[in-house]
Amino acid sequence: MYTLRAATGADHPSIATLIDDYQMVPPLFGHARNQWWVSCDAHGRVVACIGAEQGDSAWLLRSAIVATSARGHGLGRQLTVALITAAQQQGIRHIYCFSTDAGDFWQHMGFVHVPVAEVLTMLPSAPQIAQFERLGWLPSEVAWRYDT
């Protein structure tokens, strides 16, 4: 049994550990316009997460990960739907993400491939974009968009 909920500040260390365990770019907490969701197992441990860096009319989805032990239960889909639903409720028109190796999942969820330049134009001050720019990753990234 898994429970999906909005993350709280108390979840940030668990989210950071999960993301680090799968060698993803460290999350940035403390930005007023960021929001996170988690799935927890029966013992209350965070086993999956997804975040959104929020712009005025678009969000940048980031750090979507499900622990290997919790895969196969639809948690990635459930977290993505929670993020999409929140975006729709807040009048957000587009959700973007970067993913070089999970394109099939994002397409299955209704995302379409777009140029990275589109994300940079729509969310120029997103913290993840600044992180990827510092790492030199933007030229090789693959971008996806979901229209709400």
Side-chain angles (χ1 to χ4, degrees), residues 72-141:
H73 299 282
L75 300 182
R77 181 188 58 75
Q78 291 171 18
L79 286 165
T80 304
V81 168
L83 185 145
I84 290 169
T85 300
Q88 290 169 330
Q89 291 170 344
Q90 294 180 42
I92 299 302
R93 294 188 310 247
H94 309 290
I95 301 168
Y96 291 93
C97 70
F98 294 118
S99 180
T100 56
D101 59 357
D104 289 345
F105 174 79
W106 297 116
Q107 284 181 318
H108 177 74
M109 293 301 300
F111 285 71
V112 296
H113 180 263
V114 296
V116 169
E118 182 177 325
V119 185
L120 303 179
T121 298
M122 293 296 293
L123 291 152
S125 60
Q128 186 180 26
I129 289 174
Q131 282 180 301
F132 281 21
E133 192 168 59
R134 280 191 302 275
L135 293 167
W137 290 3
L138 288 175
S140 62
E141 275 302 322

Side-chain angles (χ1 to χ4, degrees), residues 41-79:
D41 65 14
H43 303 287
R45 290 181 296 242
V46 172
V47 295
C49 65
I50 196 168
E53 295 179 354
Q54 302 172 352
D56 293 330
S57 64
W59 286 4
L60 182 59
L61 180 159
R62 68 165 300 150
S63 305
I65 187 72
V66 178
T68 304
S69 63
R71 292 182 183 165
H73 299 282
L75 300 182
R77 181 188 58 75
Q78 291 171 18
L79 286 165

Side-chain angles (χ1 to χ4, degrees), residues 2-58:
Y2 297 97
T3 304
L4 184 143
R5 61 177 172 74
T8 67
D11 294 313
H12 292 174
S14 296
I15 293 168
T17 297
L18 179 64
I19 290 169
D20 185 59
D21 286 349
Y22 289 88
Q23 301 171 348
M24 295 178 71
V25 175
L28 299 172
F29 301 114
H31 293 275
R33 299 190 74 188
N34 288 359
Q35 189 170 351
W36 291 85
W37 293 263
V38 294
S39 285
C40 299
D41 65 14
H43 303 287
R45 290 181 296 242
V46 172
V47 295
C49 65
I50 196 168
E53 295 179 354
Q54 302 172 352
D56 293 330
S57 64

